[in-house]
């Protein structure tokens, strides 16, 4: 849900809160309200062709891996330079391959999932089929990531 409203006031203020953004400048108040909060760019990108889906809790994780499609998971961290470096490349692959499910998991947010799959460094790319790990790529290795995805695509 997104809402937008304008009001006229005679003061200058900037108020921020994770869900509600309100900016008053030169007598014009612009009020934005968002139902979703984006922190450190963690929200997943999406497009009509394909998307990277952000998993923020165990229920979302479980729902997305219960499929017979190839699932590619980017275990990332907002503080990791290598994760930030590879993110646009990962998003680009997702846009080209709508028949593959691409997930993004922040290891500091879903620590139980990261521990379950023994993720020790970021980025780690996990490849799942029917909920089972079939491969992994550790590090921001573009070529290896491309080759591993191609290896597990149906012929």
């Amino acid at each position: 849900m997104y809402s937008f409203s304008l009001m006229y006031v005679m003061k200058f203020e900037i108020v921020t809160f994770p869900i509600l953004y309100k900016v008053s400048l030169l007598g014009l108040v612009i009020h934005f309200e968002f139902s979703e909060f984006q922190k450190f760019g963690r929200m997943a990108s999406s497009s009509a062709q394909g998307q990277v889906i952000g998993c923020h809790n165990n229920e979302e994780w479980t729902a997305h891996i219960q499929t017979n499609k190839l699932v590619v998971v980017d275990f990332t961290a907002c503080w990791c330079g290598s994760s930030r470096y590879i993110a646009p490349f990962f998003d680009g692959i997702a846009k080209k391959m709508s028949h593959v499910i691409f997930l993004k998991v922040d290891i500091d947010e879903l620590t139980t999932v990261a521990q379950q799959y023994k993720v020790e460094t970021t980025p780690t790319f996990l490849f799942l089929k029917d909920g089972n790990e079939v491969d992994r790529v550790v590090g921001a290795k573009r070529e290896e990531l491309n080759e591993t995805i191609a290896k597990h695509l149906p012929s």
Side-chain angles (χ1 to χ4, degrees):
M1 177 187 105
Y2 300 97
S3 67
F4 176 83
S5 62
L6 292 173
M7 295 181 289
Y8 184 77
V9 294
M10 296 300 290
K11 62 181 178 177
F12 174 83
E13 66 178 7
I14 297 177
V15 180
T16 61
F17 186 73
I19 306 284
L20 177 66
Y21 294 94
K22 186 177 182 181
V23 179
S24 173
L25 181 62
L26 299 175
L28 184 64
V29 174
I30 303 172
H31 174 156
F32 300 95
E33 188 175 330
F34 298 93
S35 63
E36 297 179 35
F37 174 56
Q38 182 173 357
K39 181 179 177 184
F40 302 115
R42 287 186 320 180
M43 295 291 290
S45 63
S46 66
S47 71
Q49 296 88 7
Q51 62 183 351
V52 177
I53 302 166
C55 291
H56 303 287
N57 58 53
N58 287 321
E59 292 78 22
E60 289 176 346
W61 169 257
T62 303
H64 290 301
I65 65 167
Q66 301 301 324
T67 180
N68 58 357
K69 291 183 175 183
L70 175 64
V71 179
V72 183
V73 186
D74 176 7
F75 283 95
T76 186
C78 62
W79 46 262
C80 176
S82 295
S83 291
R84 289 193 306 263
Y85 165 78
I86 198 75
F89 181 75
F90 189 70
D91 291 345
I93 294 172
K95 288 178 183 177
K96 296 174 190 171
M97 299 185 178
S98 60
H99 54 286
V100 176
I101 297 174
F102 291 87
L103 303 178
K104 187 171 290 233
V105 174
D106 188 315
I107 63 166
D108 295 322
E109 187 174 18
L110 278 180
T111 55
T112 56
V113 173
Q115 290 170 353
Q116 175 185 354
Y117 288 95
K118 297 175 178 46
V119 175
E120 296 176 356
T121 188
T122 59
T124 294
F125 298 94
L126 197 67
F127 296 79
L128 304 171
K129 283 188 180 174
D130 298 315
N132 299 312
E133 181 178 349
V134 294
D135 218 333
R136 75 171 51 203
V137 172
V138 178
K141 302 172 186 167
R142 292 178 177 209
E143 286 302 314
E144 190 176 342
L145 182 57
N146 265 335
E147 291 167 3
T148 309
I149 291 171
K151 179 170 84 173
H152 293 289
L153 288 176
S155 301

